Amino acid sequence: MDIDKILVTITGAGLIAFIWWFFFGKKEVEVVAGESIDVVVDGGYKPASIRIKKGKTTTLKIKRRDPNSCLEEIILPDFKIKKFLPLNREIEISLTPQKTGEYGFHCGMNMYHGKIIVG
Amino acid sequence: MEKLSSDNQQFIKRTFPIVGMHCASCARLIERKLIRTPGVLNATVNYGSENASVESDTEVSDEQLAKSVEEAGYKAIIGQGAKDKEQRTPEEIKEEEKKKELQNLKVKVIISSIISVLIFLGSFPEWFTFVPKILTNPYVLLALTTPVQFWAGRSFYLATWSGLRNRTASMDTLIAVGTSAAYGYSFFSALFGGHMYFDTAAVIITLILLGRYLEAKAKAHTSDAIKKLLGLQAKTARVVRGNKEIDIPIEEVEVGDLIRVRPGEKIPVDGSIVEGISSIDESMVTGESIPVDKKPGDVVIGATINKSGSFVFKATKVGADTMLSRIVKMVAEAQSSRAPIQRLVDIISSYFVPAVLMIAVATFVVWYDFGPTTASGLMALTNTIAVLIIACPCAMGLATPTAIMVGVGRGAEKGILVKDAESLEIANKVKVAIFDKTGTLTKGVPVLASYTGKTGTSKEEVLRIAASLEKGSEHALGEAILEKAKEKGFVLKKVQGFKAIPGYGIEGNIDGKRYILGNRALMKKDGVDYKLTEKEIEKLESEGKTVVLLAKKRILIGLIAIADTLKEGAREVIKSLNEAGVETWMITGDNERTAKAIARQSGIKNVLAEVLPDQKAQKVKEFKGKQDRVVAFLGDGINDAPALAVSDVGIAMGTGTDVAIESAGITLLNRDIRSILTAFNLSRVTLSVIKQNLVWAFGYNVILIPVAMGILYPFFGWLLNPALAAFAMAASSISVVGNSLRLKRIRI
């Protein structure tokens, strides 16, 4: 095998490993919400993992800073909520979960994800 | 604006946007200025949200606050005439942003199309011999491609960047990486010589932008139903104030207001008529096309149209409590809920884009190492680009939600209110349908079925006396008798010594003679001999009728049979369900004989009679437990709510109580029992569209990604041109949305 091919193979393998680590290896930082929590939408959801209490009302104060139209809607399917997020304007979503568990939320196109952990 | 009260003093809290702040200290400045305004208790200004929140007593006007802010050198968007963008509802902003985005996309598509054509012509001088020489110059091509790549394609880069910062990737990432590879390689080729892919980069970006433009236009129609519903709302109401009638905006109508509605006008809010009669077209809410006659005491629904008379009604529900607002809310919620079929897609889509990136790298390596020796590098590059471009996670993401949105909207137009996607998805799989009897299968209002005279008394006389006696009673059976007498135009006689005997019947004197009207037990108690008519009574009862006996001076003089009748179309529905292999059951608290009679009339096969209200839910659970079949429960009353909630598909009648509607997954607003079949059909067609979409979206990716990788090359020498891949990608998401929109026209 030529040296260039070996180099390409090694680089490729390294790149694949990097992609794996980059996208799947990230640690999710779980944030415990009080009565309300600020969520910034900027290339994803910050925080993307929110812990809230069962039976208590928690308000998510969501503000989109990212002009990417993919993120313009937030959908919480388990709570039957779909909200349009105007750029740079705070939108409030109040949740009063009655069941414990993990409930995902995502953008209008289902590309950016976050989750709400009810405990 | 929020009204608060404390220590008997009224104060209000107002929140309004402020324009012109450029640092956090501006916020403090405005805050101080606001607090110093007389009457203001507290003020906070948030620099981040650019909002001020002010608590003040009610005396302080919007104008005063606006003036204070202005004095500080900023502008408050508050009070009348404040039509700045921050004053609009998110929905309005959305509309406008969408419009702007579409316009923006359109400009980009047009300009990049023109440039792309030029690049394409210049890239293949061997095909297009007529092209001026200058267009084929590498530097000219580079100059033409650069604006397409970085101006038209800017959004892809922005989205990629914001995603990468969060270690996530979207389809923008794929497009940005794919086209950048083509552009970057060509850039060096242009400088140092070599093959150029400027046409690929430009055409891909143009096609994908075109796809986005068409998709955005099509997607806007998936939420038409809500817009249509909101458009039904009246804008003003004519409120009666003293002797005057004044027009006020609908938002200002309060519960208890008296509102005048003239012929041809829309009824502004929900209420009940206090004066006047009319016929009202309720089709926009119920889907029922025949106008309904209404009289004082009857309920009117906001957004319906007054056809003939003028009337005054008292507002009972306003704002978010009106029927229309609740319908809009339910439709919007249903459209945002997740169909169970979506779960798998959710899991796949979270791995999809990184997986495609890895596949793309692998494609490059394999082609570089094992491709034809002469051009392995170039082929590795084109195939890698093709893989990145053809992958279309969008189509997968859109497959289920768009179909649910259109399906739910279509249902709302037909008077079928679907409350969640899950009910819509599984309604067509129902194997057991359990009907509540009264109010669901039957009209729920007893009517007089027959009446006969005995011992020489005419039947008319029997009805007249019975009706006269019943005038004072409030029993449901009495209503049926009175209704019939009214229909016949009988003049009722004066009754003296009226007495109701609970559990038995009533008694009273007419023209000095004593009459009793009631059940067998009452006759027995009074010593009336009815044995000769026992057979006739039993026969009537076996038909599901309730028999009332009338006696004069201990002699039986007449029989009246009262029955709850089947709803129109009930028989038809049961027949269709039976034919479709759905097990039909009737559940009722009534006695077995009445239950069986109704079951016979409707064609229902199985009966559960004498079930106590609180046992209904238990029975439904038992059905669900058996063989894991999908169980639908259809009911209307408060006592049906638990059963509606525990069933797989709860279907409430629109005439039913609010509690029943809340607990049900589907509500038939049009009050037509036949709509059950329409609802099942809607579910069937929606699910089939979802399945088509998913098969298409998955199939597309599963088949075409390997093709783009070049899997067919060893056998047929086929490779996928990256520009063609871009076309397929754009077409794939448009076709998914288009297929969902088909639900608008499908016959159900």
Side-chain angles (χ1 to χ4, degrees):
Chain A
M1 208 181 231
D2 303 332
I3 184 78
D4 62 325
K5 286 188 179 172
I6 294 169
L7 271 177
V8 163
T9 312
I10 293 170
T11 315
L15 204 52
I16 290 175
F18 174 75
I19 294 170
W20 181 278
W21 168 81
F22 188 78
F23 291 111
F24 302 136
K26 66 179 166 197
K27 276 209 189 79
E28 272 176 12
V29 187
E30 195 181 296
V31 175
V32 180
E35 273 179 12
S36 73
I37 183 167
D38 291 316
V39 180
V40 176
V41 182
D42 191 1
Y45 302 100
K46 293 171 193 167
S49 193
I50 302 162
R51 179 174 282 276
I52 63 178
K53 283 220 171 72
K54 180 181 145 187
K56 277 181 91 178
T57 303
T58 306
T59 307
L60 309 180
K61 295 182 170 174
I62 305 172
K63 194 163 176 185
R64 173 164 74 104
R65 292 187 192 279
D66 191 331
N68 180 4
S69 66
C70 203
L71 285 159
E72 69 187 12
E73 259 177 354
I74 185 167
I75 302 179
L76 294 85
D78 298 298
F79 298 94
K80 293 188 193 170
I81 291 170
K82 175 159 70 184
K83 276 261 165 86
F84 178 78
L85 305 172
L87 202 56
N88 292 320
R89 189 169 142 173
E90 198 171 273
I91 294 290
E92 290 191 357
I93 295 178
S94 291
L95 305 172
T96 317
Q98 300 302 338
K99 277 188 200 157
T100 53
E102 263 189 38
Y103 304 98
F105 60 88
H106 51 78
C107 70
M109 291 247 193
N110 205 349
M111 302 232 188
Y112 294 97
H113 300 95
K115 67 181 173 197
I116 286 167
I117 305 147
V118 180
Chain B
M1 206 184 291
E2 194 180 350
K3 274 199 177 142
L4 311 157
S5 80
S6 149
D7 301 335
N8 296 326
Q9 197 197 346
Q10 283 260 320
F11 60 96
I12 51 173
K13 189 172 175 182
R14 275 173 276 206
T15 302
F16 50 89
I18 288 182
V19 191
M21 285 192 284
H22 39 77
C23 60
S25 62
C26 304
R28 297 291 86 76
L29 180 68
I30 301 168
E31 238 172 52
R32 280 201 300 272
K33 191 81 198 169
L34 280 170
I35 291 174
R36 270 189 247 133
T37 311
V40 172
L41 303 170
N42 197 10
T44 48
V45 176
N46 187 328
Y47 172 59
S49 62
E50 300 190 309
N51 269 325
S53 171
V54 177
E55 275 174 47
S56 67
D57 61 48
T58 44
E59 303 289 304
V60 179
S61 71
D62 288 349
E63 284 70 30
Q64 271 172 290
L65 294 177
K67 199 164 155 254
S68 297
V69 175
E70 205 170 313
E71 279 167 10
Y74 307 90
K75 190 169 161 33
I77 311 300
I78 185 174
Q80 286 183 333
K83 283 287 176 200
D84 191 87
K85 70 175 196 193
E86 300 292 330
Q87 282 277 303
R88 297 167 304 176
T89 64
E91 281 309 307
E92 285 167 331
I93 298 178
K94 180 179 176 178
E95 282 295 306
E96 227 151 276
E97 272 189 20
K98 286 275 126 189
K99 239 186 233 164
K100 232 191 271 169
E101 191 189 319
L102 269 178
Q103 186 54 33
N104 201 348
L105 260 175
K106 198 171 161 184
V107 171
K108 282 186 175 169
V109 167
I110 292 171
I111 294 176
S112 53
S113 301
I114 296 168
I115 300 176
S116 296
V117 169
L118 294 177
I119 296 168
F120 195 75
L121 293 176
S123 299
F124 299 97
E126 61 275 24
W127 299 347
F128 310 106
T129 45
F130 56 88
V131 171
K133 208 83 214 121
I134 183 148
L135 261 188
T136 62
N137 182 304
Y139 296 106
V140 171
L141 286 175
L142 173 64
L144 284 172
T145 311
T146 305
V148 177
Q149 181 76 31
F150 298 108
W151 169 72
R154 186 165 171 265
S155 60
F156 301 124
Y157 284 107
L158 289 180
T160 304
W161 175 236
S162 69
L164 288 182
R165 276 185 297 143
N166 280 291
R167 296 171 73 167
T168 54
S170 65
M171 64 163 297
D172 295 277
T173 318
L174 299 177
I175 295 159
V177 173
T179 57
S180 300
Y183 178 85
Y185 183 85
S186 314
F187 181 81
F188 286 103
S189 300
L191 297 182
F192 308 112
H195 195 87
M196 288 180 292
Y197 291 103
F198 286 127
D199 57 311
T200 308
V203 169
I204 288 171
I205 287 178
T206 306
L207 279 175
I208 289 170
L209 286 177
L210 175 67
R212 285 213 172 158
Y213 175 70
L214 296 176
E215 183 191 307
K217 283 201 97 165
K219 239 175 89 185
H221 290 289
T222 56
S223 53
D224 280 353
I226 295 253
K227 269 184 235 151
K228 226 186 254 179
L229 283 170
L230 285 173
L232 293 174
Q233 184 83 272
K235 302 275 178 292
T236 57
R238 186 168 304 112
V239 178
V240 184
R241 292 266 160 88
N243 297 329
K244 272 198 232 151
E245 288 178 8
I246 49 166
D247 281 340
I248 61 169
I250 188 164
E251 295 81 17
E252 291 172 17
V253 177
E254 283 175 23
V255 170
D257 276 347
L258 292 175
I259 299 164
R260 158 89 60 198
V261 187
R262 291 189 298 214
E265 285 181 340
K266 259 183 201 166
I267 296 167
V269 295
D270 296 0
S272 63
I273 298 185
V274 289
E275 180 193 317
I277 50 166
S278 181
S279 117
I280 293 167
D281 175 6
E282 296 189 334
S283 60
M284 50 295 296
V285 176
T286 64
E288 168 68 55
S289 55
I290 304 161
V292 193
D293 290 333
K294 305 249 170 167
K295 55 181 192 304
D298 284 349
V299 170
V300 289
I301 308 169
T304 57
I305 293 172
N306 178 22
K307 300 291 269 190
S308 51
S310 166
F311 63 87
V312 175
F313 77 97
K314 191 178 195 170
T316 53
K317 278 174 183 164
V318 300
D321 297 329
T322 62
M323 177 98 153
L324 184 73
S325 303
R326 277 163 52 219
I327 291 175
V328 168
K329 188 166 165 261
M330 277 196 208
V331 171
E333 282 181 352
Q335 290 183 334
S336 323
S337 64
R338 170 166 43 199
I341 200 167
Q342 174 74 13
R343 277 174 216 282
L344 177 69
V345 185
D346 284 356
I347 294 168
I348 293 176
S349 67
S350 59
Y351 293 100
F352 189 81
V353 175
V356 170
L357 285 171
M358 289 188 270
I359 292 172
V361 174
T363 305
F364 188 90
V365 171
V366 171
W367 274 95
Y368 194 87
D369 289 355
F370 307 107
T373 44
T374 45
S376 66
L378 285 183
M379 285 171 102
L381 186 69
T382 37
N383 291 331
T384 303
I385 296 169
V387 168
L388 290 169
I389 299 304
I390 198 132
C392 184
C394 266
M396 290 194 291
L398 293 169
T400 317
T402 52
I404 292 285
M405 280 187 80
V406 182
V408 168
R410 180 77 198 276
E413 275 170 30
K414 290 233 156 203
I416 299 164
L417 192 56
V418 179
K419 236 173 56 185
D420 53 52
E422 185 168 354
S423 299
L424 188 62
E425 185 186 321
I426 61 174
N428 67 96
K429 295 182 192 131
V430 167
K431 285 281 163 280
V432 183
I434 308 169
F435 291 83
D436 161 59
K437 182 178 79 76
T438 315
T440 303
L441 272 178
T442 67
K443 288 181 179 149
V445 185
V447 287
L448 195 144
S450 66
Y451 52 105
T452 49
K454 300 285 168 205
T455 33
T457 316
S458 74
K459 60 189 276 196
E460 283 73 27
E461 185 65 11
V462 168
L463 180 62
R464 196 196 311 267
I465 292 169
S468 304
L469 287 169
E470 287 286 8
K471 206 167 61 176
S473 93
E474 277 158 4
H475 200 272
L477 295 178
E479 294 267 331
I481 296 172
L482 278 168
E483 194 63 34
K484 189 76 184 179
K486 214 168 106 191
E487 191 187 308
K488 292 267 174 195
F490 288 167
V491 180
L492 302 184
K493 294 182 174 177
K494 222 172 162 187
V495 181
Q496 279 163 337
F498 172 84
K499 205 171 119 199
I501 314 154
Y504 292 94
I506 51 177
E507 60 170 60
N509 295 321
I510 295 173
D511 300 333
K513 287 162 199 141
R514 185 168 168 273
Y515 292 91
I516 56 166
L517 180 70
N519 55 15
R520 282 196 192 88
L522 178 66
M523 300 297 135
K524 230 180 248 170
K525 210 173 81 159
D526 228 47
V528 179
D529 183 18
Y530 59 89
K531 287 286 173 258
L532 285 173
T533 49
E534 178 64 31
K535 265 221 170 103
E536 194 181 338
I537 297 170
E538 271 176 15
K539 184 174 170 285
L540 286 167
E541 281 179 342
S542 72
E543 288 162 7
K545 293 165 186 157
T546 307
V547 183
V548 185
L549 299 86
L550 178 66
K552 177 168 95 178
K553 292 199 281 185
R554 299 205 176 141
I555 294 163
L556 185 76
I557 58 164
L559 294 181
I560 297 173
I562 293 162
D564 190 2
T565 48
L566 268 191
K567 269 190 189 163
E568 233 173 281
R571 206 191 314 244
E572 205 180 311
V573 168
I574 303 296
K575 188 164 169 264
S576 301
L577 290 177
N578 283 340
E579 280 170 8
V582 177
E583 209 175 294
T584 50
W585 283 81
M586 184 172 85
I587 196 162
T588 177
D590 240 340
N591 66 62
E592 183 124 13
R593 203 152 42 179
T594 316
K596 283 216 164 124
I598 293 287
R600 236 188 345 264
Q601 286 171 36
S602 62
I604 241 170
K605 295 236 172 97
N606 315 284
V607 178
L608 277 173
E610 285 158 55
V611 178
L612 294 174
D614 51 345
Q615 289 173 348
K616 281 185 181 173
Q618 188 53 39
K619 292 282 173 200
V620 172
K621 266 193 205 152
E622 281 167 26
F623 275 105
K624 273 175 72 175
K626 275 189 230 160
Q627 301 159 16
D628 240 359
R629 295 176 300 181
V630 179
V631 177
F633 182 84
L634 303 95
D636 70 318
I638 292 175
N639 62 41
D640 293 327
L644 284 166
V646 299
S647 63
D648 296 308
V649 184
I651 303 177
M653 295 294 137
T655 41
T657 58
D658 286 356
V659 191
I661 293 173
E662 285 295 318
S663 319
I666 297 174
T667 301
L668 307 177
L669 284 176
N670 56 17
R671 303 160 194 171
D672 187 346
I673 192 167
R674 280 168 289 211
S675 295
I676 293 166
L677 301 176
T678 319
F680 288 173
N681 254 337
L682 178 69
S683 158
R684 191 176 48 79
V685 293
T686 307
L687 188 65
S688 85
V689 164
I690 291 175
K691 282 185 179 159
Q692 286 159 13
N693 284 349
L694 286 176
V695 166
W696 168 249
F698 276 104
Y700 166 90
N701 282 303
V702 167
I703 294 168
L704 289 185
I705 290 178
V707 171
M709 288 165 73
I711 216 160
L712 296 178
Y713 185 76
F715 311 106
F716 309 103
W718 289 353
L719 284 177
L720 191 65
N721 183 321
L724 212 62
F727 177 77
M729 212 280 307
S732 132
S733 35
I734 296 169
S735 52
V736 163
V737 178
N739 193 36
S740 297
L741 284 174
R742 218 162 48 84
L743 277 172
K744 278 189 169 183
R745 296 183 307 271
I746 281 182
R747 243 176 62 93
I748 47 170

